Amino acid sequence: MFSIKSRGGLKWLEASNLNRFPWIVQAFSTRLGGATRASAQGLDLGHAYLPKGSLQEKNRRKFLRALGAESFALSSVHQIHSAEILVVEDAHERLNYLPSGYPYNLEVDGRRISGDALLTALPRVLLTVRTADCIPILLLDSRQRIVGAIHAGWRGALKRIVEKTIGEMRRIFGSRPQDLFVALGPSIRACCYEVGDEVVDAFCGAFVNGEDFFRKISGSGERHITVSGMSFLSMAPPGHASRKGSHLGLDLVAVVKSQLKSAGVPHARIQVADFCTSCRTDLFFSYRKEGSATGRMMTVIGMKE
Ligand SMILES: [Zn+2]
C-alpha cells in the first residue's frame, strides 16, 4: 500500500492510493539520507521557519530536489496542536493563507502563521507538515482537484481536526467525501503511546466511542497489546474510575479513522502506513523515544498542474 522510493541518497514513502494520479507530488520522508547532527541522526527536516544555510534547510532543499518539487511554492506553518485550518489562496510572490471560517483574506507579510491543517486548490503549491510521532495525513479530492495536509497529535485529534478539515473541504470547495483519498503516514502507535488518565478521560468525554481508542499495554517495556476494547471502563462508576496499574496506549489511527468515517470517507479510500515511529527509530524520528532534540520528518503533497 505504501512503497519506498529512493533518489539522491534519500528514501521516502509514497501512498499507492495517491500515486494513481500522475499530477500529484506526495512523500512521507524517512530519516534515511541527508546531513546529520549528533542529536538527530538522519534527514532532519526541521521546523516551519528555517534559517538559511542551516543543516535542516539544506536537507529540505535536498528532499524537495529529490521529489522534483524545488520550484513549488513551499507552504509551511508553525504547528500548534490546534484544529486551525488554513487555505492557501495565492502562490504569487508570497503565500497568502485564509484561515477557514473567516470571510477576509489574511495578509501574512512575513509574520509567523500557525495552524495544523492546510488546503489548496492551487497547482505548484507544496503543502507540508512536520512530525516525529504525530500522524501526518494527506488528503486528495481527485474530482475537484483539492489537496490537504494535516498534522494530528492527540490534542488536534481530540479537537476533531480531521473531521473539521473535511468539513471545510466541503464548505469551501464543494468536495464530496466519497471523492476523497486519504493516506496516514508513520506515527507512534498504541504499542508505544502510553497515556495518562487525563487523556483517556478527555477522549471518553469528547467521543461517544472514546473507549474504542485505547489499547491495554501489558507490562512495562513488553509492548504487547493483550486486551482491547472497553472493559477497563466498566470497573468503576462514572467519576470514580480508577485505572491505576493499567497501562493504556492511545490508538491515534483509530481516532483518525473514526473521524474519517463520521465525515463520510469510504473505508477503502484510506491507507495507513504500517509503521510505529517509536518502534522503528532506524527509519523514523520519535519524539517520545528520543526526546525533543530529535529530528522531524516532513510530509508533502502538491499538484503539478
Ligand atoms: Zn511501537
Side-chain angles (χ1 to χ4, degrees), residues 191-192 276 279:
C191 45
C192 297
C276 170
C279 288

Side-chain angles (χ1 to χ4, degrees), residues 271-288:
Q271 280 194 356
V272 183
D274 193 18
F275 292 105
C276 170
T277 46
S278 174
C279 288
R280 296 301 305 270
T281 48
D282 56 323
L283 294 173
F284 307 105
F285 297 112
S286 172
Y287 187 100
R288 175 73 68 110

Side-chain angles (χ1 to χ4, degrees), residues 70-259:
E70 64 268 58
S71 66
F72 280 51
L74 192 76
S75 171
S76 191
V77 298
H78 190 52
Q79 296 170 175
I80 51 171
H81 297 279
S82 68
E84 296 298 317
I85 300 154
L86 300 161
V87 181
V88 182
E89 282 263 290
D90 186 354
H92 297 296
E93 294 190 34
R94 59 167 182 261
L95 295 169
N96 285 338
Y97 294 86
L98 175 73
S100 68
Y102 290 83
Y104 55 84
N105 206 344
L106 181 81
E107 274 292 306
V108 179
D109 217 10
R111 76 182 180 86
R112 284 188 162 205
I113 52 168
S114 303
D116 291 275
L118 295 163
L119 294 170
T120 196
L122 297 171
R124 308 196 68 74
V125 170
L126 199 68
L127 306 181
T128 71
V129 291
R130 291 146 335 271
T131 58
D133 283 347
C134 292
I135 306 191
I137 303 163
L138 295 182
L139 302 149
L140 167 67
D141 174 349
S142 60
R143 186 167 152 269
Q144 301 282 59
R145 295 210 170 196
I146 310 298
V147 288
I150 303 174
H151 158 256
W154 74 264
R155 289 182 185 84
L158 182 65
K159 292 170 192 154
R160 293 182 153 81
I161 188 169
V162 178
E163 219 171 321
K164 286 177 179 171
T165 303
I166 294 170
E168 292 295 39
M169 289 176 82
R170 295 185 71 153
R171 186 180 71 84
I172 299 166
F173 300 109
S175 292
R176 304 184 311 185
Q178 63 267 35
D179 295 323
L180 300 186
F181 292 86
V182 184
L184 279 61
S187 64
I188 192 167
R189 299 289 147 94
C191 45
C192 297
Y193 201 14
E194 187 174 343
V195 292
D197 284 359
E198 70 285 359
V199 175
V200 181
D201 289 341
F203 276 93
C204 291
F207 295 88
V208 288
N209 58 335
E211 298 156 7
D212 299 342
F213 303 152
F214 296 91
R215 310 281 173 257
K216 202 162 182 177
I217 302 172
S218 76
S220 53
E222 274 187 42
R223 310 279 182 221
H224 290 299
I225 300 167
T226 53
V227 178
S228 66
M230 54 197 289
S231 58
F232 65 88
L233 279 174
S234 54
M235 290 156 62
H240 299 275
S242 175
R243 292 182 285 268
K244 284 210 169 10
S246 61
H247 299 273
L248 296 177
L250 173 59
D251 185 349
L252 262 183
V253 170
V255 183
V256 171
K257 279 184 162 177
S258 163
Q259 292 183 35

Side-chain angles (χ1 to χ4, degrees), residues 31-44:
R31 69 192 296 170
L32 303 175
T36 202
R37 61 189 168 89
S39 54
Q41 297 290 320
L43 186 74
D44 178 13

